[in-house]
Amino acid sequence: MGRRTRQEDDRYRRVREIETLDPETDHQRIVDLFRQDFGSLLAIQIITGNMITFAAPTMSKVHEVAREVERNTEKRSIDTALFHHVVHQHGFGPGPARVAGKKVNEMHRRYDIVQEDFIAVAADNTLTPVRIADKFGWRRVTDKEREAFRIQQSKEARLFGSHKPLPDSLVEVEEFYEKYLDDNVYYYPYNEQVAKAFLAWMPSLMPPVIGRVIVWLLVAQVDPRQLRACGLKLPGKVRMALSNAMMKRMGSKPLPDPQPGEEHPLEGLAKRVYPNGWDVHSLGPDKYHANPHAGHPAIAADS
């Protein structure tokens, strides 16, 4: 019994560390500890982080011009994950993260991206992890973790091209996000086309046979407004119950501590595109294409 008690107590070592930290200065460390405690659940972010950019026509029309998601689904998706990984790994100071920001900004400047869309993506990346952990996680999410995500994602949005930060409180972030979904997310044919291309690729990341089932269950957790905007079927009661049960099981315990020299999961994923290794300079389209629609009002017509 004593041994089990010590093991249970050890589960909370990360949250005890979080309680000693300040979100203003230690947001990076807090987010890292959160990701270790709820890491299994955060697979959903691979889907939600992309779906928000497909469901809003102002963003989908940018994808339609670039055609990178369709033509290079795997490279584009893995590059996006690696750009975020570089920032999480190195912080916001001089070095690889600044290079990542410069590269992403160079790509973004080729399109008429609506500023509100930057904030919407950052809001999604702030709210989804804590909402999923609240619903399915093995412990309560703390206020410091919520605030650390807001600060972290606000800085990342600025790094990647936003002209303004996230709102100053989580309540305001939630209000902005809900209004954004109500006002800006609706069906447009290319939403469906690009979402289905991405979701057709997703099962390849998982074990054969069950990959499609897992993706089908993960997609059930996506906001219904986004699903409708992408022409995807809303989950029924049985699918939703199965999805919730899977998520609850995934969130039932924290990840073990990474071992010295252990490869980050993203490094294994990167080898699918970069078998000889990668650095931040490798990321992004192999060749930039002139944007014939630069400045065209159709890209921002629905802002």
Side-chain angles (χ1 to χ4, degrees), residues 9 13 18 60 70-71 82-83 116 122 129 133 153 170 183 189 195 199 205 229 250 259 270-271 274 281 287:
D9 185 62
R13 66 189 182 281
I18 287 169
S60 179
E70 285 180 286
R71 292 186 302 202
L82 291 174
F83 274 126
E116 199 174 40
Q153 289 302 317
L170 202 64
D183 295 346
L199 293 176
L205 304 180
M250 289 167 65
Q259 298 302 305
K271 289 176 183 176
Y274 305 104
H281 298 282
K287 184 178 181 181

Side-chain angles (χ1 to χ4, degrees), residues 46-64:
I46 301 173
I47 291 177
T48 59
N50 282 277
M51 290 298 290
I52 181 63
T53 74
F54 305 150
T58 48
M59 289 190 263
S60 179
K61 289 173 182 177
V62 173
H63 289 308
E64 189 172 15

